Amino acid sequence: MSTANTALPWSLQHIDFDRIIPERVRDDETLFFVLCSASFVESGSDVYTRNLVSYYHDDPDLSRWLNEHWEPEELQHGRALRAYVERIWPEFDWSSAFHHFFEEYSKRCTVAEFEATQALELAARCVVEMGTATLYRSLARYASEPILHEIAEHIRSDEIRHYKYFYQYFLQYNQREGNNRLIVLGALVRRLLEIRNDDSECAVRHVMAFRDPSRAHDKQCLQDINAQTRHLIRRNVSADMSVKMFIKPLNLSPGLSTAMQYPLRKVVQYAFLR
């Protein structure tokens, strides 16, 4: 796969933050936590890049794409979301909160957490990209504030493209490894179920620690915030596209794909949308 063009598909410099309409989002507490958490995870993408490059050290093409495309685009997502948060909620100490988040997050992100084979980790990455594409698709539909809508659309487009790249690399690796559908499905489901205990929950804790320290260790409060986030996503996006992205690495026949969509829709809803 060619990765010769290293230009970013969009530029943060072209986002007109002066056009933000703060009153449309300022009082939306759920949106505050969604955007802060997402900005933290995206801003820590360089750690994940290093792990992936290490895991695929014997593949210069994939390593080049990760370093020259995936990481810069993910980090730009983080910068855009941070800039938006700081415009709307300037009293929030984003830098300090991220520093504390990153201390924990960087220790959690290890190659030891990857799937046992390179093909299966690429299948698992498809699930992660499916999840992020779902998040930003729902944010774009939810956003009544035009600049947030613009940012979410840019990121959504990036995440779908990232999914396509990981999927194409998965096909190459799985052709060599010969994993059957049941093995691939196991990797997909494992990564999907991890979404309920994913990096965003770690981020929410650290956001809360600086937003309202008195509630930083209130487990019920944190659970409520995560439930509200899932509710926001569920109200603004259909699970159908997410399910199609989830099952694509299984390379099912049209008939079997249709038959599998209903039960797997329930799994996706449980893990990501409920």
Side-chain angles (χ1 to χ4, degrees), residues 30 53 68 109 128 138-139 144 171 182-183 198 201 212 261:
T30 300
V53 169
E68 297 181 3
C109 290
V128 176
S138 68
L139 276 176
S144 61
L171 292 179
L182 188 59
I183 292 174
D198 67 0
E201 294 193 0
D212 186 353
Q261 281 196 30

Side-chain angles (χ1 to χ4, degrees), residues 199-219:
D199 300 328
S200 65
E201 294 193 0
C202 170
V204 164
R205 284 191 285 105
H206 290 281
V207 172
M208 181 62 82
F210 282 80
R211 175 72 163 180
D212 186 353
S214 67
R215 296 192 294 166
H217 301 289
D218 186 337
K219 291 184 178 181

Side-chain angles (χ1 to χ4, degrees), residues 88-239:
I88 303 297
W89 298 279
E91 73 282 1
F92 179 70
D93 188 352
W94 190 95
S95 181
S96 295
F98 174 73
H99 174 75
H100 284 263
F101 159 78
F102 191 75
E103 280 190 339
E104 178 180 348
Y105 174 77
S106 60
K107 296 172 184 175
R108 294 172 47 152
C109 290
T110 66
V111 175
E113 301 299 316
F114 286 2
E115 287 290 326
T117 76
Q118 292 177 318
L120 295 180
E121 179 57 28
L122 289 166
R125 287 305 316 174
C126 289
V127 175
V128 176
E129 300 301 327
M130 175 273 291
T132 53
T134 299
L135 169 63
Y136 292 111
R137 188 163 62 245
S138 68
L139 276 176
R141 292 181 179 179
Y142 176 78
S144 61
E145 200 290 304
I147 300 304
L148 177 58
H149 176 82
E150 180 182 355
I151 292 171
E153 279 290 341
H154 280 313
I155 300 177
R156 177 197 64 82
S157 179
D158 285 350
E159 300 294 4
I160 290 175
R161 187 176 59 261
H162 296 168
Y163 172 94
K164 291 177 180 178
Y165 269 91
F166 279 118
Y167 173 70
Q168 290 300 321
Y169 282 117
F170 160 74
L171 292 179
Q172 295 176 16
Y173 275 78
N174 204 50
Q175 186 174 24
R176 296 199 294 265
E177 291 184 12
N179 298 297
N180 62 41
R181 287 174 180 148
L182 188 59
I183 292 174
V184 174
L185 179 61
L188 298 176
V189 172
R190 280 191 297 275
R191 190 58 58 92
L192 183 68
L193 294 179
E194 287 178 7
I195 288 177
R196 289 192 69 93
N197 298 298
D198 67 0
D199 300 328
S200 65
E201 294 193 0
C202 170
V204 164
R205 284 191 285 105
H206 290 281
V207 172
M208 181 62 82
F210 282 80
R211 175 72 163 180
D212 186 353
S214 67
R215 296 192 294 166
H217 301 289
D218 186 337
K219 291 184 178 181
Q220 186 58 54
C221 176
L222 297 175
Q223 289 174 1
D224 289 345
I225 291 170
N226 286 309
Q228 291 161 11
T229 297
R230 289 191 294 272
H231 183 62
L232 182 154
I233 297 169
R234 187 177 72 248
R235 283 182 320 186
N236 293 282
V237 70
S238 168

